[in-house]
Amino acid sequence: QVQLVESGGGLVQPGGSLRLSCAASGHPLDYYAVGWFRQAPGKQREGVSFINSSGSSTYYADSVKDRFTIFRDSDKNTVYLQMDALKPEDTAVYYCATSTVYLWFTAAPQEALFDSWGQGTQVTVSS
């Protein structure tokens, strides 16, 4: 099973940027679709951004569309989430996860179909 480690979180002012990393070990990450999820205090975990194994298909939640970009670097066995124009409502613990189910995204992916998860990284957007 693939092991995932997220990094890159931190405290940033509104309008700022962060880049999260999801580094894999145990298996090439290219075998999997990868999703970024987030969970804010008192709220359910929600899907944020997704990329298929080849990188040819992506999906973004409406709340982050045009602000976040997901991409993968096969040489580094890592998937990244570039987050720009951050808002206080983006504050959450961000998790990455893998799925062998999704070849292409035409609708919001289901969290239940992601089976390997990282430990999460905290993102706080505040002035």
Side-chain angles (χ1 to χ4, degrees), residues 33-77:
V34 176
W36 282 99
F37 298 79
R38 67 186 181 187
Q39 187 167 23
K43 294 188 176 181
Q44 284 191 326
R45 190 160 57 190
E46 61 174 349
V48 174
S49 183
F50 303 86
I51 189 167
N52 69 349
S53 59
S54 67
S56 60
S57 178
T58 58
Y59 184 91
Y60 296 93
D62 287 344
S63 58
V64 306
K65 204 171 292 184
D66 298 326
R67 297 190 299 122
F68 290 10
T69 303
I70 189 170
F71 60 100
R72 56 197 316 154
D73 185 332
S74 299
D75 291 340
K76 295 183 179 179
N77 212 26

Side-chain angles (χ1 to χ4, degrees), residues 9-50:
L11 173 64
V12 63
Q13 292 187 341
S17 298
L18 283 175
R19 178 177 291 183
L20 305 184
S21 300
C22 174
S25 60
H27 279 281
L29 203 51
D30 287 352
Y31 288 178
Y32 305 94
V34 176
W36 282 99
F37 298 79
R38 67 186 181 187
Q39 187 167 23
K43 294 188 176 181
Q44 284 191 326
R45 190 160 57 190
E46 61 174 349
V48 174
S49 183
F50 303 86

